[in-house]
């Protein structure tokens, strides 16, 4: 198996930028509305995955340059990508029939790696290799970029409300604090597909919750509630078009 490159993704991606520009012709615009200031770089964003197209919508419309965490299989060889698309994304998470899932995965696996690289994904793992992802993510933050993480437990599919947050992002926040002696801001994010809006919550800081005596799982649960609260507020109209849009220059 070819080793995965752990170098932070490059900021300049002219080929993928042209691809995104072409896709904008067919994809309706998504607004970004933020509380507590426009989205900034050198920040960790905890977002809902919003099914298959969520990360692409974030890539196209989120105004801060960011690197994403994603499944390691999608950055490996064709066989691993095809199996992940067929068995995990389509069959397990979307309930697609096996024949249709196999058909779609067969074709998508040919080009999916280039989209993952274009969207600036770092691979994540369920084992000790995850420590490398954390260290490389700190390097990304030190370079002035942001990290976007989708911590929701989607084993049973993607829902409008997230059900369970994995706590790996707390390790990243802790590693950054250990290295620098200060917190990196962390903000909840919710993409609402029907209303075509990305809502960004106010910055929070890990040590606020550490001082309260919360453990890793409890901190993850706090941010799960914050993301779901953004969903509720979007549906209540708090982020309708009359609300100020977040404006930040995306490099």
């Amino acid at each position: 198996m070819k080793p995965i490159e752990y170098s932070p993704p490059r900021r300049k991606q002219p080929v993928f930028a042209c691809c995104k520009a072409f896709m904008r012709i067919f994809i309706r615009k998504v607004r970004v509305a933020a509380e507590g200031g426009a989205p900034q770089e050198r920040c960790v964003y905890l977002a809902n995955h919003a099914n298959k197209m969520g990360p692409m919508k974030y890539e196209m419309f989120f105004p801060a340059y960011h690197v994403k965490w994603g499944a390691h299989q999608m950055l490996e060889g064709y066989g691993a990508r095809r199996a992940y698309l067929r068995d995990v994304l389509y069959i397990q998470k979307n309930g697609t029939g096996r024949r249709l899932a196999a058909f779609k995965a067969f074709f998508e696996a040919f080009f999916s790696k280039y989209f993952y690289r274009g969207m600036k994904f770092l691979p994540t793992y369920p084992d000790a290799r995850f420590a490398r992802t954390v260290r490389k993510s700190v390097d990304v933050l030190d370079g002035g970029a942001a990290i976007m993480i989708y911590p929701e437990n989607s084993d049973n599919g993607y829902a409008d409300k997230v059900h369970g947050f994995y706590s790996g992002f707390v390790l990243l926040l802790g590693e950054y604090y250990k290295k620098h002696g200060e917190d990196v801001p962390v903000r909840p994010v919710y993409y609402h597909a029907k209303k075509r809006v990305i809502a960004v919550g106010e910055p929070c800081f890990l040590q606020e919750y550490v001082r309260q005596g919360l453990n890793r799982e409890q901190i993850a649960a706090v941010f799960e509630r914050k993301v779901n609260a953004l969903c509720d507020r979007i549906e209540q109209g708090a982020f309708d078009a009359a609300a100020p849009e977040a404006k930040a220059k995306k490099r």
Side-chain angles (χ1 to χ4, degrees):
M1 181 182 298
K2 184 179 178 181
I4 291 176
E5 177 58 57
Y6 275 87
S7 297
R10 297 177 179 177
R11 285 181 177 265
K12 293 183 178 180
Q13 297 173 300
V15 175
F16 191 70
C18 292
C19 179
K20 287 195 297 182
F22 178 77
M23 292 178 66
R24 282 177 181 269
I25 299 172
F26 306 97
I27 295 179
R28 299 177 70 182
K29 182 179 179 181
V30 174
R31 292 187 307 106
V32 179
E35 300 173 322
Q40 76 266 40
E41 297 182 4
R42 200 187 298 271
C43 180
V44 174
Y45 295 95
L46 304 178
N48 67 317
H49 198 284
N51 212 323
K52 181 181 177 182
M53 284 299 293
M56 178 58 76
K57 295 294 181 69
Y58 286 122
E59 175 64 25
M60 295 179 70
F61 299 106
F62 197 74
Y65 181 93
H66 62 283
V67 173
K68 305 169 184 66
W69 281 11
H72 66 90
Q73 295 94 329
M74 291 300 291
L75 289 162
E76 294 178 356
Y78 173 82
R81 299 197 305 276
R82 183 182 61 182
Y84 182 84
L85 287 167
R86 180 192 62 209
D87 300 333
V88 179
L89 178 63
Y90 286 121
I91 295 177
Q92 177 183 332
K93 298 188 178 186
N94 282 292
T96 307
R98 188 166 186 84
R99 288 186 178 180
L100 179 58
F103 177 78
K104 296 174 73 172
F106 174 80
F107 290 103
E108 287 187 28
F110 281 109
F111 57 82
S112 58
K113 179 168 66 173
Y114 303 103
F115 275 84
Y116 255 57
R117 287 178 175 174
M119 288 191 286
K120 301 173 289 294
F121 273 93
L122 281 177
T124 61
Y125 293 90
D127 53 34
R129 291 173 292 178
F130 179 68
R132 289 187 290 176
T133 305
V134 170
R135 289 195 299 269
K136 194 56 62 176
S137 298
V138 172
D139 292 343
V140 169
L141 292 167
D142 286 345
I147 295 287
M148 182 173 284
I149 302 172
Y150 313 103
E152 67 187 276
N153 183 344
S154 58
D155 289 347
N156 296 317
Y158 297 107
D160 291 339
K161 290 288 189 69
V162 299
H163 299 287
F165 254 26
Y166 292 115
S167 61
F169 70 88
V170 183
L171 295 175
L172 168 58
L173 301 176
E175 186 68 19
Y176 187 93
Y177 184 82
K178 178 181 177 181
K179 180 177 179 180
H180 295 286
E182 61 182 32
D183 279 324
V184 61
V186 54
R187 302 177 71 171
V189 181
Y190 189 92
Y191 165 53
H192 198 291
K194 291 182 180 178
K195 291 206 170 188
R196 299 196 313 279
V197 62
I198 295 172
V200 186
E202 296 184 356
C204 304
F205 300 92
L206 174 65
Q207 297 308 307
E208 296 176 3
Y209 305 105
V210 172
R211 287 192 291 269
Q212 295 175 27
L214 301 186
N215 61 30
R216 207 168 75 193
E217 287 70 28
Q218 290 169 327
I219 293 171
V222 167
F223 281 97
E224 177 190 347
R225 292 192 292 271
K226 287 181 180 292
V227 170
N228 282 332
L230 287 175
C231 173
D232 290 335
R233 297 189 62 215
I234 291 172
E235 295 182 345
Q236 292 164 5
F239 295 96
D240 284 350
E245 289 193 12
K247 295 186 182 295
K249 185 177 181 181
K250 186 172 182 179
R251 287 186 265 177

